[in-house]
Amino acid sequence: DIQMTQSPSSLSASVGDRVTLTCRASQTINNCLSWYQLKPGKAPMLLIYAASTLQSGVPSRFSGSGSGTDFTLTINSLQPEDFATYSCQQTCSPPRTFGQGTRVEI
Amino acid sequence: QVQLQQWGASLLKPSQTLSLTCAVTGMSVSGYYWTWIRQSPGKGLEWIGEMDHSAGDKYNPSLRSRVSFSFDTSRSQFSLRLTSVTAADTGIYYCARAVRVVVNTGDSLYEYSLMDVWGKGTTVIVSS
């Protein structure tokens, strides 16, 4: 199985900050990477797919980059509704494994 | 409105069978890969598997011996069964719609997927 490692596991930030989350795959996955936002009691929300494509309806302050094994999710000008957990997922091959998540706290 | 509505038993005893159903509304059931994911307390998301009518269903090897999927086309519903549950199966279970995209760069041909519609999740607790 492809292992996905996210860092940091959590971070503290303020409204208006720019934050960068990292996801690393244990082997090359081309651009087969998605990012999801998780909030308690809500369905996970797809933010980014194919490493850098913004899902329709997602604010443009979210962006993704990377290819191969190293990927980043950047949130520009953090908003109050962005405090959540973010999870990456490799989508190349089954099992389509997730990282353990990065919690973004106030 | 594109939606996945899920339901199933929330409290199970060890050794029982978990059974969840997800209803697809507002969209066709064709052309997608219907997927199950779970999140155990304090842990990240875990991909359980996906239904692939053309190439065969795909399962997480860690759960393969206990998992089965079914699809009721007439009702636009798909289901998950997980047998012999233990406390380790406690968590929130999600159904989701997956789309696959084929990429041909000229040098390589590969496929990626994305899960763009999710159910709200069903909390399942396994306890004696």
Side-chain angles (χ1 to χ4, degrees):
Chain A
D1 299 357
I2 299 173
Q3 307 302 317
M4 305 301 293
T5 303
Q6 290 186 244
S7 61
S9 57
S10 66
L11 66 88
S12 295
S14 300
V15 172
D17 284 354
R18 179 181 191 225
V19 299
T20 299
L21 286 57
T22 298
C23 179
R24 173 166 289 176
S26 61
Q27 64 190 71
T28 184
I29 56 171
N30 293 302
N31 68 336
C32 304
L33 189 98
S34 293
W35 288 96
Y36 299 90
Q37 181 188 68
L38 283 65
K39 290 183 176 180
K42 300 187 72 175
M45 182 171 74
L46 175 66
L47 301 173
I48 301 282
Y49 63 91
S52 61
T53 303
L54 192 68
Q55 170 69 353
S56 175
V58 173
S60 59
R61 62 180 180 274
F62 291 92
S63 64
S65 66
S67 184
T69 61
D70 294 315
F71 303 86
T72 60
L73 173 70
T74 299
I75 311 172
N76 285 302
S77 187
L78 203 63
Q79 297 300 299
E81 60 267 29
D82 299 335
F83 292 96
T85 297
Y86 294 86
S87 185
C88 64
Q89 181 201 22
Q90 68 82 12
T91 63
C92 261
S93 58
R96 306 188 198 277
T97 42
F98 291 88
Q100 79 280 17
T102 293
R103 184 174 179 182
V104 177
E105 302 172 314
I106 300 174
Chain B
Q1 183 181 5
V2 174
Q3 212 168 9
L4 295 177
Q5 187 173 4
Q6 56 181 110
W7 66 89
S10 295
L11 183 59
L12 297 171
K13 296 184 184 303
S15 80
Q16 290 186 325
T17 295
L18 180 157
S19 181
L20 299 175
T21 298
C22 190
V24 180
T25 59
M27 58 182 148
S28 168
V29 298
S30 301
Y32 300 105
Y33 301 87
W34 303 101
T35 304
W36 291 96
I37 307 98
R38 71 180 184 180
Q39 183 172 27
S40 301
K43 295 187 178 181
L45 295 169
E46 179 180 26
W47 185 84
I48 297 172
E50 65 191 24
M51 280 172 265
D52 183 345
H53 297 302
S54 59
D57 297 343
K58 307 294 190 296
Y59 301 92
N60 190 321
S62 67
L63 298 169
R64 177 61 187 97
S65 62
R66 299 192 291 129
V67 169
S68 62
F69 302 136
S70 61
F71 199 99
D72 185 339
T73 305
S74 65
R75 296 186 177 187
S76 294
Q77 295 177 0
F78 59 101
S79 298
L80 164 72
R81 278 174 53 91
L82 178 67
T83 62
S84 304
V85 297
T86 69
D89 295 311
T90 292
I92 304 172
Y93 286 72
Y94 298 98
C95 57
R97 181 183 83 171
V99 176
R100 290 187 194 167
V101 178
V102 176
V103 179
N104 187 346
T105 67
D107 292 333
S108 65
L109 180 70
Y110 64 93
E111 182 182 80
Y112 68 82
S113 69
L114 59 105
M115 295 185 291
D116 60 343
V117 181
W118 290 64
K120 292 186 176 180
T122 301
T123 297
V124 176
I125 298 172
V126 181
S127 174
S128 57

